[in-house]
Amino acid sequence: MAWESRIELDQLHAIDVHVHAGISARTPRPESGEGPEPAGVRGIQKRIGAGQQTPDETAAYYRDRRIAAVIWGVDPQATGGFRPGAVDNDELLEAACRNSDVLIPFVMVDPWRGHAGALEAERLIQAGARGFKFHPPVQAFWPNDRHFYELYEVLNAHRLPALFHTGQTAVGQGAPGGGGIRLKYGNPMPLDDLAVDFPEMPIIMAHPSFPWQEE
């Protein structure tokens, strides 16, 4: 069953457009409050109490506060691997269908998957995905590299938004070499090319893009 919105906008106080899916309901809850995030993020998540909810628990949290949430799952076929305990795209879409009064489902597709990634994007859209999340520093790619344009063409054809992480990231914090995360990919300027080349694909730039906030 594909996602269909039951959101009543006039009953909401706000829409949060940047919500991580937390932990999978299909795997045992991690011990000691540790979430499935990489080592550099665990301390941050523990301090702010984030990342410890299943999608259904997140839906209840937002419903109580009369806020809708744009929430995304992750790509289980990502070339960089899949974190145990993470919420994959299909689980997220199923939860969003159950909670379509507050959850707006976004998904992640690894751009390095090429043609297979474009086909997966089309499948996810037919299943109800309403947008896509990309994290250039973690996924190690320049958003305006034409190698990834086939994937954007799918989003552009359906007029669906692409949300890009910009600027620095907490992922890799405290790990040797920053866990291999390269800050350069968080520069927001390559997104200008996408705005020109894919005018029907709305672009959401997440975060203030530090240290390029003036750009």
Side-chain angles (χ1 to χ4, degrees):
M1 180 177 67
W3 179 88
E4 293 185 8
S5 175
R6 293 187 291 114
I7 295 173
E8 298 182 12
L9 291 176
D10 59 348
Q11 299 298 313
L12 296 179
H13 294 307
I15 300 176
D16 185 343
V17 299
H18 195 117
V19 180
H20 294 260
I23 58 176
S24 172
R26 298 173 178 174
T27 57
R29 190 178 294 271
E31 297 180 1
S32 303
E34 293 280 336
E37 297 293 336
V41 179
R42 287 178 184 159
I44 297 171
Q45 297 283 12
K46 188 174 182 180
R47 286 196 300 274
I48 65 176
Q52 306 303 307
Q53 295 177 323
T54 66
D56 286 318
E57 290 170 340
T58 298
Y61 178 93
Y62 277 88
R63 186 178 294 113
D64 287 347
R65 289 155 179 80
R66 294 173 61 185
I67 301 174
V70 170
I71 184 171
W72 54 83
V74 297
D75 186 351
Q77 302 299 319
T79 56
F82 180 74
R83 293 181 287 105
V87 179
D88 67 34
N89 290 326
D90 288 317
E91 180 182 356
L92 186 281
L93 286 168
E94 292 171 9
C97 285
R98 291 192 298 271
N99 300 281
S100 61
D101 60 318
V102 290
L103 296 186
I104 302 170
F106 274 39
V107 292
M108 293 187 76
V109 172
D110 183 354
W112 289 107
R113 292 179 61 189
H115 181 62
L119 293 177
E120 177 68 356
E122 185 67 43
R123 183 188 75 83
L124 292 167
I125 291 170
Q126 297 307 316
R130 303 308 302 151
F132 287 71
K133 161 70 183 293
F134 297 97
H135 200 306
V138 169
Q139 295 170 317
F141 77 105
W142 291 112
N144 60 347
D145 187 327
R146 289 186 173 272
H147 178 79
F148 311 118
Y149 270 32
E150 183 180 3
L151 176 56
Y152 303 142
E153 286 169 359
V154 175
L155 278 64
N156 193 70
H158 290 276
R159 299 187 176 185
L160 291 182
L163 188 155
F164 288 87
H165 176 100
T166 64
Q168 67 180 14
T169 176
V171 180
Q173 178 180 316
I181 304 299
R182 299 182 188 275
L183 177 62
K184 64 182 181 180
Y185 296 120
N187 191 309
M189 288 309 297
L191 298 179
D192 181 60
D193 287 332
L194 302 191
V196 172
D197 295 337
F198 300 97
E200 301 298 331
M201 181 181 75
I203 295 173
I204 302 171
M205 297 168 60
H207 310 298
S209 304
F210 180 84
W212 300 284
Q213 69 276 11
E214 292 184 2
E215 294 183 22

